[in-house]
Amino acid sequence: MNSINTNWRQLGSKFIVLIVLAVAVLFAIVSCSGKAPSKTQGIAPEVVVDYLHKIIEAERSVYTEHVVNRLGESGVMKTSENWKNEKNLPLPAQMLRMAAEESSQDGAFTYRLISPWNINDEQSPKTEFEKKGMENVIKTGEPFKELQTINGNQYFSAIYPDKAVSIACVKCHNNHPVHKKRYPNKFFSIGDVMGGIELNLPLK
Ligand code: HEC
């Protein structure tokens, strides 16, 4: 009888220990989950620029391949720099610029094309970041990312490789009179890095 009592007592104390442990674990879970949102609030800037770039790049490729290349090859409509007056299609670079102007109206972020083999003088790498980043991207084929301070404001900036994804990119650039004159020995092939897409995300 005594030994049965001792067993019950032992079991009882084990049960209490278990309950105490369970409460402690529950408390830990609740207090951790309470803190979790503040830790994960906001997405890291390097991830945000990756997302933005994915969309810009996808739309650029789709427009070049399925509109410019398709309509050009079939002779339905060509592209030209003076597309509005000539009733042609805008160049892929003009398309990107128009979209960049629209989307940066509220000052959320900016993006643009640059290249050391630029046709348009506005699009040569100009700042230290652009020069260093573009050189790096051409060497590695990988994006270049860095924090920048411009006029006292902090930006997370990135340059992604702008590659010749369509035969239209290669044909048009290699045969452009400005390209031929400025870079007579530079012939792009499919897959080559032709320049970069630069993104500047304000960190305010
Ligand atoms: C039909 C001709 C044409 C096609 C197709 C074309 N480009 Fe361009 N691209 C140009 C011209 C012209 C410019 C400069 C004029 C401007 O920016 O308004 C330019 C600008 C650029 C620039 C900025 C540097 C510069 O040269 O001023 C890059 C980078 C670039 N193109 C890469 C590409 C890639 C990659 C593709 C394919 C996805 C492509 N281009 C398709 C004609 C073309």
Side-chain angles (χ1 to χ4, degrees):
M1 199 57 187
N2 242 356
S3 73
I4 289 173
N5 268 346
T6 328
N7 276 347
W8 274 115
R9 230 177 292 139
Q10 273 176 355
L11 267 179
S13 57
K14 273 185 190 156
F15 189 62
I16 288 167
V17 168
L18 263 178
I19 286 185
V20 169
L21 268 176
V23 169
V25 168
L26 257 176
F27 184 74
I29 291 172
V30 168
S31 57
C32 279
S33 64
K35 274 182 204 146
S38 70
K39 271 189 194 162
T40 52
Q41 243 171 26
I43 308 170
E46 53 265 48
V47 178
V48 176
V49 287
D50 278 354
Y51 287 165
L52 292 172
H53 166 254
K54 259 273 169 281
I55 300 167
I56 299 164
E57 185 191 41
E59 292 191 341
R60 179 159 167 75
S61 307
V62 167
Y63 176 66
T64 308
E65 186 61 26
H66 299 297
V67 180
V68 172
N69 202 25
R70 186 161 152 260
L71 298 192
E73 295 269 281
S74 60
V76 175
M77 198 180 251
K78 55 178 186 156
T79 47
S80 65
E81 278 161 67
N82 195 10
W83 61 277
K84 260 188 195 157
N85 293 337
E86 292 165 6
K87 298 207 167 27
N88 286 329
L89 295 169
L91 297 169
Q94 292 173 314
M95 200 71 173
L96 183 140
R97 232 172 12 248
M98 286 189 281
E101 276 163 22
E102 286 266 341
S103 57
S104 66
Q105 266 173 8
D106 61 0
F109 60 92
T110 61
Y111 63 95
R112 73 188 206 106
L113 280 178
I114 52 170
S115 173
W117 306 284
N118 58 296
I119 296 172
N120 180 339
D121 285 336
E122 293 284 308
Q123 291 163 164
S124 64
K126 291 189 168 60
T127 63
E128 269 318 298
F129 166 78
E130 289 176 346
K131 285 179 192 157
K132 184 175 62 175
M134 194 67 260
E135 214 180 287
N136 213 281
V137 165
I138 291 166
K139 215 185 292 163
T140 63
E142 295 294 324
F144 181 86
K145 298 174 182 173
E146 208 172 74
L147 276 170
Q148 284 200 90
T149 307
I150 308 169
N151 300 329
N153 298 318
Q154 272 218 316
Y155 292 84
F156 189 85
S157 298
I159 299 175
Y160 295 84
D162 189 42
K163 291 186 181 164
V165 288
S166 165
I167 191 68
C169 320
V170 171
K171 270 199 205 162
C172 189
H173 275 253
N174 287 348
N175 294 315
H176 196 282
V178 175
H179 180 91
K180 280 180 163 173
K181 195 163 163 237
R182 284 186 182 169
Y183 325 102
N185 300 319
K186 182 70 189 171
F187 302 102
F188 292 118
S189 309
I190 282 274
D192 280 359
V193 175
M194 293 176 67
I197 298 175
E198 178 191 2
L199 264 144
N200 296 302
L201 186 72
L203 290 181
K204 245 200 266 168

